[in-house]
Amino acid sequence: MDEKLRKIQIAYFALYTMIALLIVLGETDIWSLDGVWTDKQVWAYYYQTIVILLTVACVPAALKYFAVWLSHQIDQMPLAEALKAYVRLSLLRIALLALPAIAGVVGYYLLLNTSCLLCTCISLIATFFCWPSMERMKRDLHIEADNDMP
């Protein structure tokens, strides 16, 4: 169970590391995207709309769908299968939150527009509500005693 939790935590750290790397690359001008699309207003509008819609769709899906799926599916599975499904669903949750975060950082440097950066912040704040821990995993999988774990 610890290795499954470690896999989920590594994915969360990878998300934060990727966002930090994109910001460092953008701020140090190694990644020279500074305002490439600022003069292309139609493309800027489309990109901003896509980032906003990604945020509006992915953040609630990652937060609410996970809980709904846990309550409907995990309870009916054996523990070993439930652990695999929990890890798979947690990684999907991270991917859902990574989409608007990465698109927002890229959009910020392409457009020099803070609305994309706001979408990144919303997505990253949502990850704080999803932080994996042993207690949370036990609670989500309805494991009461340590001897129930595989």
Side-chain angles (χ1 to χ4, degrees):
M1 191 157 179
D2 287 333
E3 64 274 355
K4 294 186 186 313
L5 180 64
R6 181 67 53 198
K7 184 188 289 188
I8 299 169
Q9 288 176 341
I10 287 171
Y12 271 93
F13 284 123
L15 170 63
Y16 291 121
T17 304
M18 186 182 311
I19 297 297
L21 180 65
L22 288 174
I23 291 171
V24 166
L25 290 175
E27 291 297 323
T28 58
D29 288 333
I30 294 173
W31 187 34
S32 59
L33 289 179
D34 289 341
V36 174
W37 283 0
T38 52
D39 58 341
K40 299 173 182 151
Q41 292 179 356
V42 173
W43 286 103
Y45 172 76
Y46 287 144
Y47 194 86
Q48 277 182 308
T49 303
I50 289 169
V51 171
I52 291 168
L53 290 176
L54 266 174
T55 305
V56 166
C58 290
V59 170
L63 295 176
K64 190 62 182 169
Y65 181 67
F66 184 80
V68 169
W69 195 84
L70 276 176
S71 66
H72 288 94
Q73 299 293 327
I74 294 287
D75 292 341
Q76 301 165 0
M77 294 181 181
L79 186 58
E81 189 178 324
L83 275 172
K84 289 179 186 176
Y86 185 84
V87 170
R88 199 172 39 245
L89 193 60
S90 294
L91 295 177
L92 175 66
R93 187 183 213 188
I94 296 167
L96 280 174
L97 292 172
L99 282 174
I102 293 169
V105 170
V106 171
Y108 174 70
Y109 288 108
L110 280 174
L111 307 171
L112 296 177
N113 190 324
T114 56
S115 65
C116 291
L117 197 58
L118 177 65
C119 291
T120 297
C121 291
I122 290 169
S123 180
L124 291 178
I125 289 170
T127 62
F128 294 139
F129 296 108
C130 309
W131 180 252
S133 67
M134 187 62 73
E135 295 80 27
R136 183 181 196 116
M137 186 182 284
K138 286 179 184 179
R139 186 182 67 228
D140 289 343
L141 295 174
H142 306 294
I143 300 172
E144 279 79 27
D146 288 334
N147 56 3
D148 288 344
M149 295 187 306

